[in-house]
Amino acid sequence: MKKISKMLCVAVLFVWILQIQTVYAAASFTDVSSDNVLITEIDYLVEKGIIKGYPNGMFKPNDYVTKAQVAVMLTRALGLKTANVKNPKYQDIPITHTYYKEIAATQNAGIFDSTKKFNPGGTLSRGEMAIVLQRAFKLKGSNSYHFTDVTEKTIGYKEILAVANNNITRGYQDGTFKPNLSLTRAHFSAFMARALTLSKVSLLKDPAYVYTYAFYSPDKDIRYTLNYQYSHNDNKNDVWTVTNMTNKEPFNDELLYGNETVYGQAIAADFSKHYDLFIGLPLRIGVIVHEQDDGPVGGNRITVKMTDGTVRAGGVNYKKVAILEEKFVYSDVVKTYYFVDGIGLVKELHGEEVIYELLKRTKN
């Protein structure tokens, strides 16, 4: 009987340990607060198993990231094969090195150069980060992007432009990029997560369709059915006429603006002098508008929570959904937008309340 009791205790203890490990794997790091501006990117990499942190539950976000750590993270992120890798013959990376396979895999993939030494414990500068990410994710984009400390003579100039053009980084508020500044673990994780979730999605409605939405007005506590039909382009915006199908009350037109680099939506009204939602493209996870940013719309923070999410609207299950969250310094309301490529907005929440829901699209 004692033997059975001991076995039962061991079994219970084993299950308890497994539960602790499961909770630990999904829990936030003890040194990364929930209000950290990079929490979305860090959480994403944890969920994907790309970063694991340290055994004591810490991430050490402010420590400089090492080249070996970068090799490991990129190997996991890109799913690089580590079996039968070709020896890059770095003098400081013998085949017995802990991260030999990951370092070899990233070099074989053309991410790191063939040199005499790899310097696994060395840091990575912001300029080197741009080179590594451009190679790893095949980033394109050479449009001029003004950084006061970056010229054509800067090492990694073209790669820095590619990273900036893809909205992975905007540099610093003083207009600098600081290409020689060493990267922390948190910052490299953020940049890599953004590159990994990059989405060149079209957020505009399709003019070939009439959109029917269920709309709830919190101010009036009234629910409407609204039809949106493309009217014309006013030399800047797509103008959509909104028809109230419920009680025929007038609704203002909707203005949508978009190209490869920005998206904006607004209500066509005399008092409206700016877009209600105005964001840079392409999308990637993380904060894309900060409440302290300069601009016509101030005091709000917009975070892309996912670029490949799912949502159900109007009885339809949508995939590869871009999910944006907007918070305001002057309001407790949190708005959540769900956009589908080539369709546009399919759902909008204010808190838990559904404000807009796409019911159907009808071909014109």
Side-chain angles (χ1 to χ4, degrees):
M1 185 68 179
K2 290 182 179 180
K3 186 176 182 180
I4 293 175
S5 297
K6 287 181 179 179
M7 291 176 64
L8 181 61
C9 289
V10 170
V12 171
L13 180 62
F14 179 69
V15 171
W16 180 72
I17 290 173
L18 283 179
Q19 288 176 336
I20 289 178
Q21 289 176 335
T22 301
V23 171
Y24 169 74
S28 297
F29 297 113
T30 57
D31 55 350
V32 181
S33 64
S34 60
D35 60 352
N36 188 301
V37 74
L38 303 178
I39 190 66
T40 301
E41 294 97 319
I42 292 173
D43 278 351
Y44 176 84
L45 296 183
V46 171
E47 291 169 5
K48 295 294 182 181
I50 296 170
I51 57 175
K52 303 180 185 300
Y54 293 88
N56 61 0
M58 298 178 70
F59 179 62
K60 300 183 180 180
N62 298 320
D63 283 6
Y64 291 130
V65 70
T66 67
K67 292 185 67 178
Q69 291 170 346
V70 168
V72 172
M73 286 190 282
L74 285 173
T75 297
R76 293 171 180 166
L78 298 172
L80 298 179
K81 294 181 180 180
T82 55
N84 301 317
V85 290
K86 182 180 179 181
N87 191 337
K89 297 182 179 180
Y90 291 125
Q91 293 178 359
D92 53 353
I93 307 295
I95 59 174
T96 55
H97 190 281
T98 303
Y99 301 119
Y100 164 76
K101 291 183 177 180
E102 290 85 351
I103 292 170
T106 49
Q107 189 277 336
N108 292 175
I111 298 172
F112 288 107
D113 293 326
S114 296
T115 57
K116 290 184 178 181
K117 292 186 178 182
F118 181 74
N119 190 19
T123 60
L124 199 75
S125 71
R126 287 170 57 86
E128 290 169 332
M129 170 275 295
I131 294 172
V132 165
L133 292 186
Q134 189 281 324
R135 292 175 178 176
F137 297 97
K138 313 300 182 187
L139 301 176
K140 296 180 180 180
S142 57
N143 293 334
S144 179
Y145 199 101
H146 182 66
F147 292 116
T148 58
D149 57 350
V150 175
T151 69
E152 292 184 3
K153 295 181 180 180
T154 302
I155 296 176
Y157 170 72
K158 291 182 179 179
E159 291 85 354
I160 292 171
L161 288 185
V163 168
N165 281 197
N166 282 281
N167 201 23
I168 292 173
T169 180
R170 294 180 297 171
Y172 291 85
Q173 287 187 337
D174 62 0
T176 62
F177 179 75
K178 300 182 181 179
N180 298 318
L181 184 68
S182 294
L183 274 176
T184 63
R185 285 167 53 83
H187 279 115
F188 180 78
S189 297
F191 293 139
M192 186 177 68
R194 294 169 190 172
L196 192 59
T197 59
L198 202 61
S199 176
K200 296 187 177 181
V201 60
S202 173
L203 306 183
L204 294 171
K205 290 183 173 67
D206 187 340
Y209 290 85
V210 175
Y211 288 65
T212 301
Y213 285 94
F215 169 62
Y216 171 65
S217 172
D219 295 335
K220 297 180 179 181
D221 193 23
I222 299 177
R223 298 185 183 277
Y224 302 90
T225 299
L226 304 178
N227 273 3
Y228 284 66
Q229 184 163 14
Y230 177 77
S231 174
H232 64 283
N233 187 284
D234 63 4
N235 295 321
K236 181 179 181 181
N237 305 288
D238 285 347
V239 181
W240 287 75
T241 300
V242 184
T243 303
N244 177 2
M245 306 300 290
T246 301
N247 56 18
K248 307 305 179 182
E249 286 184 4
F251 268 77
N252 290 307
D253 292 343
E254 180 182 61
L255 306 180
L256 298 181
Y257 175 72
N259 55 36
E260 292 184 353
T261 59
V262 292
Y263 168 82
Q265 66 182 43
I267 298 172
D270 293 337
F271 59 82
S272 180
K273 297 182 179 180
H274 57 74
Y275 292 97
D276 301 300
L277 182 66
F278 192 79
I279 56 177
L281 300 175
L283 290 181
R284 45 69 175 177
I285 65 169
V287 175
I288 57 173
V289 174
H290 194 276
E291 58 266 27
Q292 296 179 358
D293 288 345
D294 295 329
V297 181
N300 62 332
R301 176 184 293 194
I302 301 176
T303 304
V304 179
K305 305 298 289 186
M306 299 187 75
T307 58
D308 60 349
T310 59
V311 70
R312 184 173 177 82
V316 178
N317 294 320
Y318 293 98
K319 297 180 180 180
K320 295 183 179 180
V321 181
I323 305 174
L324 284 67
E325 180 184 86
E326 185 173 24
K327 295 182 178 180
F328 306 85
V329 296
Y330 50 82
S331 171
D332 293 332
V333 175
V334 177
K335 296 182 179 180
T336 307
Y337 306 91
Y338 300 83
F339 287 93
V340 177
D341 183 29
I343 295 178
L345 182 70
V346 298
K347 202 167 192 176
E348 179 181 333
L349 305 181
H350 291 189
E352 299 298 322
E353 188 73 58
V354 178
I355 300 299
Y356 283 96
E357 183 172 7
L358 180 62
L359 300 180
K360 63 179 181 178
R361 292 195 310 155
T362 308
K363 191 80 172 180
N364 271 333

